[in-house]
Amino acid sequence: MDDTAVSPFSAASQHGPRPLPLFLEMLRRETADDPVRQRAALAGLAAYQRAPRTTPPQLPPASHSAGRAVLRDYGGTGPPVLFIPSLINPPFILDLAPDRSLLRWLVAQGHRVLLLDWGTPAPVDRTVDLDAHVTNMVMPLARALGEPPVLVGYCLGGTIAAAAACVMPVAGLAMIAAPWHFAGFGEGARARIAALWAKAEPMCATMGLVPMEVLQSGFWALDPARTIGKYEAFAAMPADSDAASRFVALEDWANGGAPLPYAAGAQMFDFFAHDAPGRDTWRVDGTAIDLAAIKCPTVDFVSTTDRIVPHTSAAGFADRRALRAGHVGMVVGSTAPAQLWAPLDDWISGITGRR
């Protein structure tokens, strides 16, 4: 069992956006008519690259494993609450810092909290699609808990958690900034994503992996102005400020991450093209993935200002909590405790009887 407690993907070695040449080209294009902005963005990038780093987040040791995936047990008591992070970017966004850790905060509220860590795929995993992540990782790790857990999925982890809730007993399902109706990304974004995959797919097929750089460039394409703008803003921050430290921690997280197995990446891009989840045509292990058939309590935390996963792609549960925070800010931003943490705590407590 892999019980490494330090995430190996705190950042790329160059401490910069990945892929850096593509970022620089985007920066040049976005600021071509404004030399002042260009200088500010380049200054912000240089400041980010030379900023001091703290010790990477310490994740708890692994308690159970299923292939390369492991459970990180945060302790606590009561019925298990299993968090499923995205396959994209490292899982420690849910445990970013002592004062920005949703997982440790929930333990302090009296919950038993566990985190599924997907581990690091290798080329030998090329045939592991999203279905296999459900059947070969989520399901056996959930069974190891001894009772049906409450599943909480973030981003693509929420999509996977919803599929798992359709094929195994769970006590509850919470989706956070999770895409389901992929048609809700809009024709323009889906066309850009399709073009990205058409260009990258031959290389990924040869490698057996979809590198983080491919996925990151897709995120940038959704809002290039904002991607450059945040580096402009960073240039003006005092180097020793809390805001600068938070920026570095978040960017290191965003610029880190393991690759996806080729089959998982191909299936994800196919979701954008054909919207199997939203059209109720996705099947896992012979079972139709139909959210309407889920019997347990469900809730969907949706950001109305999310530029990565638009609110129009959400599952559409009756219990829908609308937040005004970004895709990442809703989890670790200054308003996260009030907008997400406390409501999630109340919802989980209503299921587990902790209060």
Side-chain angles (χ1 to χ4, degrees):
M1 179 188 301
D2 174 16
D3 62 356
T4 303
V6 179
S7 171
F9 293 104
S10 58
S13 59
Q14 81 259 15
H15 290 311
R18 297 167 55 193
L20 185 57
L22 181 62
F23 176 84
L24 291 172
E25 171 57 25
M26 181 173 63
L27 187 156
R28 183 201 63 77
R29 186 174 62 250
E30 288 294 318
T31 61
D33 298 329
D34 193 334
V36 174
R37 284 189 61 211
Q38 188 171 93
R39 287 193 294 271
L42 287 170
L45 173 61
Y48 167 65
Q49 290 178 312
R50 65 173 178 260
R53 263 66 182 178
T54 58
T55 303
Q58 301 288 318
L59 303 181
S63 60
H64 298 87
S65 66
R68 59 179 161 81
V70 299
L71 281 184
R72 307 283 182 191
D73 193 339
Y74 280 78
T77 58
V81 182
L82 175 57
F83 278 78
I84 302 180
S86 180
L87 295 176
I88 305 167
N89 295 118
F92 64 78
I93 190 63
L94 300 170
D95 184 20
L96 187 66
D99 64 340
R100 284 291 181 267
S101 175
L102 169 59
L103 303 185
R104 297 182 192 274
W105 184 84
L106 285 172
V107 171
Q109 308 314 303
H111 300 291
R112 183 187 175 201
V113 175
L114 305 104
L115 172 66
L116 192 154
D117 184 341
W118 297 112
T120 305
V124 70
D125 298 309
R126 63 176 300 118
T127 61
V128 179
D129 59 8
L130 298 178
D131 301 12
H133 281 75
V134 174
T135 58
N136 299 347
M137 299 180 212
V138 176
M139 293 177 67
L141 289 174
R143 284 195 295 267
L145 299 175
E147 62 180 293
V150 175
L151 295 183
V152 183
Y154 174 57
C155 190
L156 188 60
T159 313
I160 293 172
C166 291
V167 297
M168 72 178 191
V170 299
L173 169 66
M175 300 174 73
I176 301 173
W180 191 260
H181 295 278
F182 284 75
F185 280 77
E187 292 184 8
R190 294 171 77 196
R192 290 191 295 272
I193 291 168
L196 169 67
W197 182 236
K199 184 176 180 179
E201 191 275 337
M203 175 197 68
C204 296
T206 299
M207 295 175 61
L209 297 168
V210 180
M212 171 61 191
E213 286 81 353
V214 172
L215 304 170
Q216 186 78 307
S217 61
F219 294 147
W220 293 344
L222 294 174
D223 195 348
R226 182 177 178 276
T227 301
I228 301 304
K230 64 184 179 182
Y231 279 91
E232 294 179 64
F234 182 62
M237 294 181 191
D240 59 351
S241 66
D242 289 342
S245 296
R246 287 194 296 271
F247 178 88
V248 170
L250 281 175
E251 285 302 292
D252 279 358
W253 168 78
N255 294 321
L260 271 64
Y262 169 76
Q267 188 175 10
M268 180 189 72
F269 281 104
D270 186 73
F271 282 178
F272 281 102
H274 300 109
D275 194 15
R279 294 173 56 240
D280 296 330
T281 59
W282 187 13
R283 301 183 70 84
V284 173
D285 200 25
T287 299
I289 303 305
D290 179 5
L291 298 189
I294 295 177
K295 303 300 182 185
C296 68
T298 57
V299 64
D300 200 1
F301 291 91
V302 178
S303 169
T304 58
T305 59
D306 193 336
R307 293 180 174 88
I308 302 299
V309 177
H311 65 91
T312 49
S313 70
F317 291 148
D319 190 350
R320 181 181 186 271
R321 315 292 179 90
L323 289 67
R324 290 192 58 80
H327 186 74
V328 179
M330 67 191 297
V331 178
V332 296
S334 59
T335 64
Q339 290 201 68
L340 175 65
W341 298 9
L344 179 61
D345 168 35
D346 288 341
W347 181 82
I348 294 171
S349 297
I351 294 172
T352 61
R354 300 300 291 169
R355 291 187 189 142

